Structure formats: structure tokens, C-alpha cells
Amino acid sequence: MNDAVRSMRAMRASNSDPASLTSESVPVPDPGPGELLVQVRATAITADELTWPQSWPVIPCHDVSGVVAATGPDADGWQPGDEVYGLVGFDRPGAAAEYVTAPAADLAPKPASVDHLAAAAVPLGALTAWQALHEHAQLAPGQHVLVHGGAGGVGAYVTQLAAQHGARVTATASARDRDFVTGLGADEVLDYTGRFEDHVRDVDVVVDPVGGTTTGRSWAVLRSGGILVDIAEEPDEAKGGRDDVRSVFFVVRPDGGQLRELAGLVDKGQLRPVVSTVFELSALAEAFGAQRGSRPPGKVIINVSG
């Protein structure tokens, strides 16, 4: 990175309303020990992320794909020019900026077979799916998985990774996304406006990015010993009156090792990044306002540079 470049363009929100996002000139962050400074090429939004911060202002967007601009002390194995992607921790400034810092351990080489826009669609959604299926549910081949919101930013990766692991996959989605979700590997796609609980049973794993009444209706479809993995909200401890099933709620964490595994699946054609719509960084507020019903399934991507 040119030493003369000490300021950068960043989008900052002063409250949870996307209309509060403004383009500002802020100092380029310095990478600390074990950290990388990444020149951001693309990032992505998560629909409700402006409701997360505890203090303001914030730079949002935590998916990143870009190029290493500088390395901090002890960030061994990386050098300027390396293409990387990853999930920036939620306790850090996000990637809706020209540069972002992150621990090197949280990043991985970008999948070589896709561009930065596609790579930025992967980290948060695919890491959430990976951790839900493999860490929390300990999915085994041949098990039956029900994923809610199978066309969503997380559900699309749950569908793919579960199918890729040899599970039988049932997904809920809108009628217009049926073919899309089937193409991701779902064996059956149910219209989310109907009563999925009338059509599926003996499920080993439910992955629920939706929450609300969807969670409450999911207990009945689990087989004895099954698990509900909730990533939207803490599930009801009553478990629908059942004491023979389990539940877990978790928040995704950055993990460079898992990102390397995911990049390998992308490069082998076994995992497809799902890009919905692309906005420029200056249109970030508009991107947050993009209505799900009027755009294709997948992640809303922000083109930052290059």
C-alpha cells in the first residue's frame, strides 16, 4: 500500500436506519499483530445487521473479498497482493470501506475459480451453514435435513452443503424459487406459505434461519433424538412439549480453516456462490432497502473497487 494513502472512503451508519448511511473520509486502519490490511473489492449485506450494533457510528458489512495491502507483525504466510476472503468479526469495523483489517487466522485464500463479487457472497452464509451442520448437528450422510428459507443467504448454503454431504434435504421456499432450490440439491421443496409440518416428518436436523412461528412449528417434525439448530433466535426451552429432542442457538464465528475447506468446494464445483443483486458502495442504503420479493435469491453484494 502506498504510504501516502492515509485516508479512505467508508460508509458509516449513525443509527439502525439505512438512510443514516453516509460516505465519509476516515483514516485507513493499521493492521495489528497477526492482522492483515485488506483492500476491499467486494462485500455483502445481511438484512438485519444494522440492528446489531451497541454503539454508533458503525461501518457495516462483514463479508469481504479483496487483496492484501499490508501485513501486521507476526502475520506470517501472507504478503501484499494475495487475494483473500473471509468474515470480519462482528466486534470490528466492517468492510463497507476501501480497506478493512482482520486477523489473518480469520481469512483464507479467495476461491480461485470465481471473482471477488461471487467470493463475497460466501463467508457469512456458508460458514453459518458449515457450523450448523458439522459442528452443532454433526450431520451424518443419509440423515434427513429440513432447512427453512432454502433460497436465503444462509439457507442456500445449508441446502448445498447438506446435499453435498450425502443428506436427504427438504427445504421451504417461495413457489417462485422452487426450481432454484431444487438446483442447489434439495430433494423436496415445500411452499413456505403452507404447512410444512403436514408434509415432512422424521427429520434428523432442522436448520432454522427464520425464527418466530416457524421455529415453534418445527418441533413436531423432528424424530426422537433429532436437533433443531436455530440461527435466528433462542428457541423456546419448552421444545414444543417434547423432551426427546435437542436444540441449539449459535452466532457464526470467523474461521479461516473452514473458509479454506469452503473455497476448495467452490473450486471443485461442489458449492455455488449465490449472488442476488450487485450495488455500488455509494448505493449501500438502497441495497439495504432492496426488497426480497423483487430480486433474485441469494446475497446482496456491494462492489467496492476493482
Side-chain angles (χ1 to χ4, degrees):
M1 178 182 169
N2 187 335
D3 289 340
V5 180
R6 301 313 311 158
S7 64
M8 66 176 184
R9 182 171 55 114
M11 297 295 291
R12 295 211 297 182
S14 57
N15 59 56
S16 60
D17 185 349
S20 75
L21 284 159
T22 56
S23 179
E24 301 180 16
S25 180
V26 301
V28 174
D30 291 317
E35 294 183 349
L36 303 179
L37 176 67
V38 178
Q39 182 179 20
V40 181
R41 295 295 176 82
T43 184
I45 69 169
T46 302
D48 60 349
E49 67 174 281
L50 290 180
T51 66
W52 301 344
Q54 302 296 311
S55 61
W56 307 91
V58 296
I59 300 173
C61 302
H62 292 269
D63 295 276
V64 65
S65 185
V67 178
V68 175
T71 61
D74 303 320
D76 299 330
W78 299 93
Q79 55 188 341
D82 288 344
E83 293 190 319
V84 296
Y85 84 133
L87 176 63
V88 179
F90 302 124
D91 58 340
R92 306 175 66 94
E98 291 179 299
Y99 294 91
V100 69
T101 58
D106 292 354
L107 303 172
K110 179 185 77 66
S113 59
V114 298
D115 62 16
H116 288 288
L117 297 175
V122 174
L124 189 151
L127 282 174
T128 303
W130 182 278
Q131 291 167 21
L133 293 170
H134 297 306
E135 291 186 1
H136 296 288
Q138 298 181 332
L139 181 68
Q143 288 190 319
H144 186 187
V145 175
L146 170 64
V147 53
H148 292 300
V154 171
Y157 292 107
V158 175
T159 300
Q160 291 186 80
L161 289 174
Q164 191 267 339
H165 195 62
R168 173 186 164 206
V169 181
T170 300
T172 63
S174 66
R176 70 171 191 139
D177 291 333
R178 175 184 298 275
D179 291 345
F180 169 77
V181 178
T182 299
L184 296 177
D187 297 284
E188 184 177 15
V189 181
L190 303 174
D191 189 330
Y192 81 97
T193 63
R195 287 177 50 84
F196 64 84
E197 61 269 41
D198 292 342
H199 301 280
V200 62
R201 66 189 62 190
D202 296 326
V203 172
D204 296 282
V205 180
V206 174
V207 181
D208 179 19
V210 178
T213 58
T214 297
T215 305
R217 293 159 52 204
S218 295
W219 299 110
V221 306
L222 283 166
R223 69 162 179 81
S224 183
I227 184 170
L228 187 153
V229 184
D230 202 320
I231 59 175
E233 59 195 24
E234 289 272 10
D236 184 353
E237 291 183 4
K239 299 178 182 176
R242 298 184 62 176
D243 57 9
D244 63 337
V245 295
R246 299 173 295 138
S247 66
V248 64
F249 168 78
F250 79 100
V251 176
V252 63
R253 69 174 197 284
D255 190 305
Q258 292 175 2
L259 285 166
R260 288 175 183 265
E261 296 275 352
L262 292 164
L265 293 176
V266 172
D267 287 338
K268 287 186 285 190
Q270 295 175 346
L271 183 68
R272 191 168 99 211
V274 185
V275 174
S276 172
T277 311
V278 179
F279 290 83
E280 296 302 311
L281 182 60
S282 59
L284 188 59
E286 182 185 350
F288 272 103
Q291 293 301 307
R292 173 68 183 90
S294 61
R295 61 176 175 83
K299 290 285 282 188
V300 174
I301 302 301
I302 308 300
N303 181 36
V304 178
S305 67

